[in-house]
Amino acid sequence: MTDPDFPPPPAPVQVKRRFSPLLAIFLVLAVVGAVAGAIGVVKVLGYRMVAVSGGSMAGTIPPGTTVVYSWGDGREIHRGDLVVFQADALPGLPPGRLLKRVIAVGGDRVRCCDPGHRIEVNGKPITEPYLDAKVSPAAAAMPFSAHVPQGTIFVAGDRRDNSNDSRFYVSTPGAGAIPLSKVNGVVVATGSIFASESLRPTTAFTDAGLPGSSTEDTGLTTDRYLAAGGAAVFLLGFIGAIVAGVRSAARRRKAAAAAH
């Protein structure tokens, strides 16, 4: 029985929760930024670094320089590339890593030297501007001749008078060539994976009429931008989502108070 002097309390007012498009946009930005940043970081960390201690590449890579290298799936190695490889790929050398320049690839015939003290690859003389200018061409010209087996590369240092490389092993099994399975990667920059300077690829071999341009890799710079940009977008979305969520909650509280 209802007492007329004490009416029942009013029914509670339900404040309808409204969808916030701005909050949804910021949440999407946060997710997209996190994914992009993670992809960039993973790609950057896919590169490797090694410090060069020897002087066989002096003029191009001074001793003490740190180089960045990578060899992704499906990447080819071209004449003129700088490669890091396992030292024991050359007979009698102890385990370790070496940095040299590719002067011939599988199937090539390479020899030294023509009358101008230049190497010849498949009968074409190669003018090599990257050789250490402090060494006279005659002093760097060591006679050799080799047919490079398929699946291997033939390497030499840019300081030809101070480099233990394929040229010294042409009379051994494999003709001094480095199996691709022993290659750690192609050098693409100097510095570190976080701050590097890209190496300009040589055109010495294509200028001589041989196919296959030397490797140029701008992926490291692109991946760093992707990582940094993704992080920035994530922070924008994360902070924006918090602000939008707080404002949306405040509006709901205000609407609930006005309804009462």
Side-chain angles (χ1 to χ4, degrees), residues 71-79 81 105 180 186 212-215:
W71 189 8
D73 292 339
R75 168 174 283 177
E76 294 183 356
I77 297 181
H78 301 107
R79 305 175 192 92
D81 285 349
V105 296
L180 295 181
V186 176
S213 300
S214 298
T215 299

Side-chain angles (χ1 to χ4, degrees), residues 133-230:
K134 297 177 182 178
V135 181
S136 69
M142 184 191 80
F144 70 89
S145 179
H147 181 207
V148 184
Q150 293 292 344
T152 69
I153 52 177
F154 196 91
V155 300
D158 286 355
R159 179 83 185 250
R160 297 283 160 84
D161 68 330
N162 183 34
S163 176
N164 187 12
D165 51 48
S166 296
R167 299 171 298 156
F168 292 90
Y169 302 93
V170 293
S171 61
T172 65
I178 310 300
L180 295 181
S181 60
K182 290 287 187 178
V183 176
N184 297 124
V186 176
V187 176
V188 298
T190 58
S192 73
I193 58 175
F194 304 107
S196 62
E197 181 178 351
S198 297
L199 285 177
R200 178 176 295 181
T202 182
T203 61
F205 295 87
T206 51
D207 288 346
L210 294 167
S213 300
S214 298
T215 299
E216 181 176 16
D217 185 342
T218 58
L220 180 57
T221 300
T222 302
D223 294 339
R224 283 202 301 260
Y225 282 135
L226 180 62

Side-chain angles (χ1 to χ4, degrees), residues 11-258:
V13 178
Q14 296 291 333
V15 178
K16 186 177 180 181
R17 187 181 294 270
R18 295 186 298 173
F19 172 74
S20 173
L22 187 60
L23 176 59
I25 290 173
F26 281 124
L27 288 174
V28 170
L29 283 176
V31 172
V32 170
V35 172
I39 292 174
V41 169
V42 170
K43 287 188 173 182
V44 167
L45 295 179
Y47 290 83
R48 296 290 182 265
M49 300 180 292
V50 64
V52 179
S53 58
S56 68
M57 296 298 295
T60 304
I61 308 292
T65 302
T66 297
V67 298
V68 180
Y69 64 92
S70 175
W71 189 8
D73 292 339
R75 168 174 283 177
E76 294 183 356
I77 297 181
H78 301 107
R79 305 175 192 92
D81 285 349
L82 302 183
V83 293
V84 176
F85 62 94
Q86 296 299 311
D88 58 9
L90 294 174
L93 294 190
R97 284 177 293 186
L98 295 176
L99 169 65
K100 305 292 180 185
R101 188 179 296 276
V102 178
I103 61 172
V105 296
D108 285 346
R109 291 187 178 275
V110 57
R111 65 172 293 273
C112 185
C113 294
D114 75 348
H117 307 293
R118 296 175 299 180
I119 63 169
E120 290 184 343
V121 179
N122 299 334
K124 299 181 182 295
I126 311 298
T127 299
E128 301 178 275
Y130 43 75
L131 295 181
D132 194 330
K134 297 177 182 178
V135 181
S136 69
M142 184 191 80
F144 70 89
S145 179
H147 181 207
V148 184
Q150 293 292 344
T152 69
I153 52 177
F154 196 91
V155 300
D158 286 355
R159 179 83 185 250
R160 297 283 160 84
D161 68 330
N162 183 34
S163 176
N164 187 12
D165 51 48
S166 296
R167 299 171 298 156
F168 292 90
Y169 302 93
V170 293
S171 61
T172 65
I178 310 300
L180 295 181
S181 60
K182 290 287 187 178
V183 176
N184 297 124
V186 176
V187 176
V188 298
T190 58
S192 73
I193 58 175
F194 304 107
S196 62
E197 181 178 351
S198 297
L199 285 177
R200 178 176 295 181
T202 182
T203 61
F205 295 87
T206 51
D207 288 346
L210 294 167
S213 300
S214 298
T215 299
E216 181 176 16
D217 185 342
T218 58
L220 180 57
T221 300
T222 302
D223 294 339
R224 283 202 301 260
Y225 282 135
L226 180 62
V233 172
F234 168 76
L235 287 175
L236 174 64
F238 180 74
I239 295 172
I242 292 177
V243 172
V246 169
R247 288 183 176 179
S248 179
R251 286 194 297 268
R252 288 197 300 271
R253 288 195 297 269
K254 185 176 180 181

